[in-house]
Amino acid sequence: LRAKAEERLNVSTALRHALELNELTVHYQPVIDLSTGAMVSAEALVRWNRPDGAPIGPADFIPIAEETGLIIPIGAWVLEQACRELSRWQRSDPAMSVAVNLSVLQVLAPDILQQIEGVLERTRIRPESLCRELTESVFMHDIDYFGKMLTGLKNLGVQLSLDDFGTAYSSLSYLSRFPFDAVKIDQGFVRGLGVNPHDTALVAAILSMADALGLSVTAEGIEDDVQLALLKQMHCQRGQGFYLDRAMSADALSQLLARSQPWRAHPVGLPPAPSRAPPGL
Ligand code: C2E
Ligand code: MG
Ligand code: MG
């Protein structure tokens, strides 16, 4: 326990300096329209290049950033970077959009609306081409406060998406009560597609519920051709995952956009995941 506590302290001390020492970067994972193969968006994912080379992913340092409040300056920086890159990408593809994760702690900061408005003004991107992704943890907090903040975000014209849908505290009534535009099906369900009949049924149920509520759907964590084929068959609009493309630098994404070729079965340089025999639905 002591070793763990020390490690957390070391990480939080180093993270405190990571921003000013330029150790953070943002990578972008393409989001593909599954019916056309076109890249329609990209999710901004923060990366930390520690000087000692010790590998650490966001799943490890974001919770520490949230505990220490560092997520507020880090999140603001990621948003600024993502919107700047988007304004560059929109020169070659005006319909391109970007998705940026938003922690509950950031929503609790009283100036969050002004901060987002400021970034939109500085980078001159259309508000609807920015999507903020929130997890279901928002439902565990002061519902009235979050309702007001999310409505404030919607009034700015920003899109709102419910991330990792189905993994946490999913009260379906909140989906109609909060002004969400989209849901992202968690990769846990996508992984079970065609393998676990319950996961397949849940994905179908999420798609039909989203359709009834007028929400668009992105499936996360698509890792093979079988998952992709089943999602297309179920009319899921958008997909994201290692089988389509991994997160990449902003420049690499620009190059991909400039080629403007629809995604085909095998993305350049990435071996497809081993294929499984297509099971019945
Ligand atoms: P998320 O928002 O659900 O992001 C998707 C995660 O799934 C990313 O992990 C992405 O690399 C990973 N992923 C994408 N496709 C696949 C796949 O096919 N298979 C598998 N196994 N994984 C896939 P990453 O970059 O490690 O980020 C983890 C989490 O950290 C994110 O989950 C998000 O909750 C958080 N995060 C990352 N960047 C930020 C940020 O700038 N701000 C905030 N607040 N959270 C962030
Ligand atoms: Mg996300
Ligand atoms: Mg997610």
Side-chain angles (χ1 to χ4, degrees):
L1 273 176
R2 202 155 101 200
K4 265 196 162 173
E6 268 171 25
E7 172 61 12
R8 286 181 87 78
L9 188 65
N10 289 342
V11 169
S12 65
T13 310
L15 191 55
R16 210 168 284 280
H17 301 292
L19 248 183
E20 58 206 55
L21 294 175
N22 289 325
E23 290 170 13
L24 298 182
T25 49
V26 186
H27 277 191
Y28 300 88
Q29 186 176 32
V31 176
I32 307 293
D33 179 320
L34 296 185
S35 59
T36 62
M39 189 196 324
V40 285
S41 184
E43 179 173 7
L45 296 161
V46 69
R47 298 285 178 259
W48 182 11
N49 312 306
R50 294 180 75 174
D52 59 3
I56 183 162
D60 295 315
F61 69 81
I62 290 287
I64 297 178
E66 284 170 341
E67 273 168 34
T68 52
L70 286 168
I71 192 65
I72 293 184
I74 292 175
W77 179 81
V78 170
L79 177 67
E80 189 94 37
Q81 300 298 309
C83 291
R84 272 207 202 131
E85 297 300 347
L86 178 66
S87 83
R88 194 157 66 97
W89 299 331
Q90 285 187 338
R91 279 181 229 143
S92 53
D93 180 0
M96 184 64 183
S97 60
V98 77
V100 185
N101 292 290
L102 181 62
S103 283
V104 164
L105 202 71
Q106 289 175 272
V107 187
L108 287 170
D111 64 345
I112 182 71
L113 295 179
Q114 289 92 313
Q115 188 209 103
I116 296 177
E117 204 173 9
V119 176
L120 291 172
E121 273 169 21
R122 277 195 294 283
T123 55
R124 294 161 179 253
I125 61 161
R126 281 173 286 109
E128 65 274 17
S129 56
L130 169 66
C131 179
R132 300 303 319 245
E133 295 190 0
L134 293 118
T135 60
E136 288 159 307
S137 51
V138 285
F139 301 148
M140 296 166 76
H141 292 75
D142 179 342
I143 293 297
D144 290 337
Y145 173 82
F146 273 87
K148 256 189 235 144
M149 294 309 268
L150 297 188
T151 305
L153 279 174
K154 264 304 350 142
N155 290 342
L156 288 180
V158 169
Q159 301 278 306
L160 295 179
S161 172
L162 192 53
D163 205 353
D164 307 338
F165 183 69
T167 52
Y169 180 74
S170 307
S171 173
L172 297 182
S173 67
Y174 291 140
L175 265 188
S176 60
R177 211 166 132 191
F178 286 117
F180 284 105
D181 302 283
V183 292
K184 293 187 84 169
I185 303 179
D186 188 70
Q187 63 187 59
F189 299 118
V190 174
R191 200 173 294 130
L193 266 180
V195 179
N196 177 339
H198 288 140
D199 285 341
T200 311
L202 279 172
V203 170
I206 294 172
L207 283 163
S208 108
M209 177 207 64
D211 185 45
L213 292 174
L215 301 167
S216 76
V217 180
T218 300
E220 293 194 276
I222 303 174
E223 289 187 346
D224 66 37
D225 52 349
V226 176
Q227 293 162 358
L228 180 64
L230 287 174
L231 286 162
K232 280 182 171 182
Q233 203 178 310
M234 290 193 244
H235 304 292
C236 177
Q237 294 110 328
R238 292 171 167 205
Q240 179 182 345
F242 294 166
Y243 184 66
L244 299 167
D245 254 320
R246 289 188 184 246
M248 59 187 84
S249 69
D251 285 344
L253 197 120
S254 293
Q255 285 167 22
L256 205 60
L257 266 181
R259 269 188 258 143
S260 76
Q261 278 167 356
W263 184 88
R264 300 214 191 281
H266 305 303
V268 182
L270 265 183
S275 117
R276 289 184 270 112
L281 258 177

